[in-house]
Amino acid sequence: MRAGKRRRLEKAGWKLGSAKEFLGLTDEEEAVIDLKLALARAVREERSKRKLTQNQLGRLLGSSQSRMAKMEAGDPSVSIDLLVRSLLRMGASRRDLIRWLARPGRRRPNIQRVSRGRTRARSEHPSSNRSARSAETSATATAPDSRFS
């Protein structure tokens, strides 16, 4: 994030940090989430590279288009095992898997603003981390709000 934007956000009352800090994740939990997101990105990239639609990939894997969308989004209901098997089924090699996992992911800082007793936040991986988003929503929904006391 550019320094000017960071200063403007901080001046407006936003607190910058990571999803790990916001959610209270351990190093191991963060590593598992990063691994899952890297594999989800790899499934999306490999499908696009092979010019397959989600529907076509679903048929190839004996699944549905909606399941493929969940896989590519890193949905919590999708296992790491399924992501790996999907990549291998599309013809990826073990070397490809290692390359995808070794590639650093793009991270964005978590931005929070405390307002009227509620905290709002954005995940480090806004486009692909639904599990972090759902956890944030839970955390936000349970924050005390003086208007309802």
Side-chain angles (χ1 to χ4, degrees), residues 1-20:
M1 176 181 305
R2 291 186 310 235
K5 183 174 184 177
R6 177 180 286 268
R7 281 192 300 273
R8 282 193 313 274
L9 289 169
E10 288 172 341
K11 186 176 180 181
W14 293 87
K15 180 182 174 192
L16 301 168
S18 69
K20 177 183 177 183

Side-chain angles (χ1 to χ4, degrees), residues 69-134:
K70 287 181 179 184
M71 288 172 59
E72 292 181 2
D75 189 273
S77 66
V78 177
S79 69
I80 290 173
D81 177 60
L82 180 59
L83 293 167
V84 170
R85 285 189 290 123
S86 299
L87 286 164
L88 294 173
R89 179 83 167 122
M90 281 191 281
S93 67
R94 290 180 182 173
R95 187 174 301 252
D96 291 332
L97 290 172
I98 292 168
R99 182 176 44 87
W100 284 314
L101 295 175
R103 186 171 50 182
R106 285 178 254 143
R107 292 188 170 216
R108 292 172 54 177
N110 182 38
I111 302 171
Q112 302 176 18
R113 182 176 187 171
V114 179
S115 173
R116 296 187 190 145
R118 291 186 296 180
T119 301
R120 297 181 184 179
R122 182 173 63 208
S123 167
E124 283 184 3
H125 308 281
S127 64
S128 58
N129 190 356
R130 289 192 181 195
S131 60
R133 264 191 248 139
S134 63

